[in-house]
Amino acid sequence: GAIPILLIPYFLLFSKFWSLAVLSLAWLAYDWNTHSQVHTGGRRSAWVRNWTLWNYFRNYFPVKLVKTHDLSPKHNYIIANHPHGVLSFGVFINFATEATGIARIFPSITPFVGTLEGIFWIPIVREYVMSMGVCPVSRSALKYLLTQKGSGNAVVIVVGGAAEALLCQPGASTLLLKQRKGFVKLALKTGAYLVPSYSFGENEVFNQETFPEGTWLRLLQKAFQDTFKKILGLNFCTFHGRGLTHGSWGFLPFNRPITTVVGEPLPIPRIKRPNQKTVDKYHALYISALRKLFDQHKVEYGLPETQELTII
């Protein structure tokens, strides 16, 4: 995303290729609403989702998708994923591409990954994002996918959002979920089944730095975080990974396994105007199902038996 953000202004102001920048911005203006017009299907492309590039990406960590229960194509689903991690590699590879074989593992299910609408404002990036079946995580777009496109659709939402990225640390299992109830309310309004999923290893691929309180580094860090939050609505993480050589420092993620385990669907009744008591009831049921999924698989995918899922 940073490449077009930096290159387009450069081409426009300082290069003989200014016409390419103008054409790119003109296309962006003309095509501005396509990503939100979910009835058109965006520009989803099986060819892009099957690029060989994604297989290399999968193998680097590696990333794996594990099914514990079938998803019937007779229903629609909200697959809630945790944790966010720094960049949500597990969700991207497993649901936005075919690198781990989601079409084979969940036949007749069409996944749509919800993300921040700001991604669709970046020229060039928005084109391949739309082609991968990514949609804005807006109420109107998600509701349409779950009620107006028949059955067999699965909307994938990283419930903790970017705010949860600030909680990710190697060895940590802390989720921002206690007050995140919008996805449950959406499920009740649409009758979509809720499906818990957990990406084991997502928090292990970067080290995040939080500087000691009272230091100038912490003051600078908080200033950056506050500025990014106000301008872009994003939470700025100070993180690092590995470099190009083994043991070196850099911004490549560590090649540590990420395994996304998809749990059992939780049937949800369709209620046009669910009250808060009903939302709270199904939110509690969802958390219980998520804890069960975590406890059943944590040891198998690298966490100690004593590790607990912390929900705040």
Side-chain angles (χ1 to χ4, degrees), residues 3-309:
I3 295 174
I5 290 173
L6 295 173
L7 286 186
I8 288 179
Y10 174 79
F11 283 173
L12 191 63
L13 298 174
F14 306 109
S15 168
K16 62 182 179 180
F17 300 108
W18 62 268
S19 58
L20 293 178
V22 170
L23 285 173
S24 177
L25 294 173
W27 173 252
L28 177 65
Y30 173 77
D31 198 50
W32 186 259
N33 292 319
T34 298
H35 68 272
S36 60
Q37 295 171 345
V38 291
H39 59 277
T40 67
R43 278 192 286 271
R44 190 185 187 94
S45 167
W47 175 66
V48 174
R49 287 176 59 88
N50 282 281
W51 277 356
T52 302
L53 171 67
W54 310 134
N55 295 335
Y56 291 112
F57 205 134
R58 173 200 65 203
N59 294 337
Y60 173 81
F61 293 96
V63 178
K64 184 168 69 170
L65 181 65
V66 174
K67 175 177 73 172
T68 62
H69 292 77
D70 290 331
L71 298 183
S72 169
K74 295 179 181 179
H75 305 287
N76 287 324
Y77 303 91
I78 296 176
I79 300 177
N81 184 260
H82 318 267
H84 185 283
V86 173
L87 293 174
S88 297
F89 290 119
V91 164
F92 175 76
I93 288 297
N94 284 314
F95 299 107
T97 80
E98 293 296 332
T100 55
I102 187 171
R104 170 181 50 81
I105 295 171
F106 294 108
S108 302
I109 299 296
T110 304
F112 296 88
V113 176
T115 192
L116 292 172
E117 187 155 7
I119 295 294
F120 299 93
W121 302 342
I122 305 174
I124 303 172
V125 170
R126 69 192 301 272
E127 302 303 326
Y128 80 79
V129 165
M130 282 193 291
S131 68
M132 299 171 81
V134 177
C135 67
V137 65
S138 65
R139 185 181 294 108
S140 59
L142 300 181
K143 188 175 181 180
Y144 186 94
L145 290 169
L146 295 170
T147 60
Q148 303 297 318
K149 285 181 68 68
S151 60
N153 300 300
V155 170
V156 184
I157 304 174
V158 184
V159 176
E164 192 175 81
L166 296 176
L167 304 176
C168 73
Q169 294 282 357
S173 301
T174 304
L175 306 182
L176 194 62
L177 181 58
K178 190 174 288 186
Q179 300 302 321
R180 299 281 173 128
K181 300 180 180 180
F183 73 106
V184 177
K185 192 171 185 179
L186 177 65
L188 286 163
K189 285 185 173 183
T190 61
Y193 285 19
L194 279 175
V195 184
S197 68
Y198 195 92
S199 292
F200 293 93
E202 187 70 56
N203 283 346
E204 312 300 316
V205 298
F206 285 113
N207 290 330
Q208 186 171 174
E209 300 292 342
T210 301
F211 300 110
E213 292 291 341
T215 64
W216 70 269
L217 284 172
R218 180 58 178 155
L219 291 173
L220 185 63
Q221 185 180 43
K222 291 179 75 172
F224 268 111
Q225 289 174 343
D226 291 344
T227 302
F228 269 73
K229 183 69 175 176
K230 288 178 182 178
I231 297 176
L232 300 175
L234 299 175
N235 288 279
F236 177 78
C237 297
T238 308
F239 65 91
H240 70 86
R242 55 166 290 182
L244 294 175
T245 59
H246 182 70
S248 61
W249 191 97
F251 293 102
L252 289 175
F254 296 113
N255 50 330
R256 296 169 181 165
I258 299 174
T259 304
T260 301
V261 182
V262 180
E264 182 178 4
L266 179 64
I268 303 291
R270 187 170 185 177
I271 303 173
K272 189 173 183 180
R273 293 185 180 86
N275 57 36
Q276 192 59 48
K277 184 177 179 181
T278 303
V279 172
D280 291 344
K281 171 188 173 181
Y282 283 96
H283 184 258
L285 289 172
Y286 174 80
I287 289 178
S288 177
L290 177 63
R291 287 190 185 278
K292 180 181 176 182
L293 179 73
F294 179 84
D295 289 337
Q296 286 178 338
H297 298 276
K298 62 185 179 183
V299 174
E300 183 180 359
Y301 297 115
L303 295 177
E305 180 68 42
T306 55
Q307 183 92 353
E308 293 187 357
L309 188 63

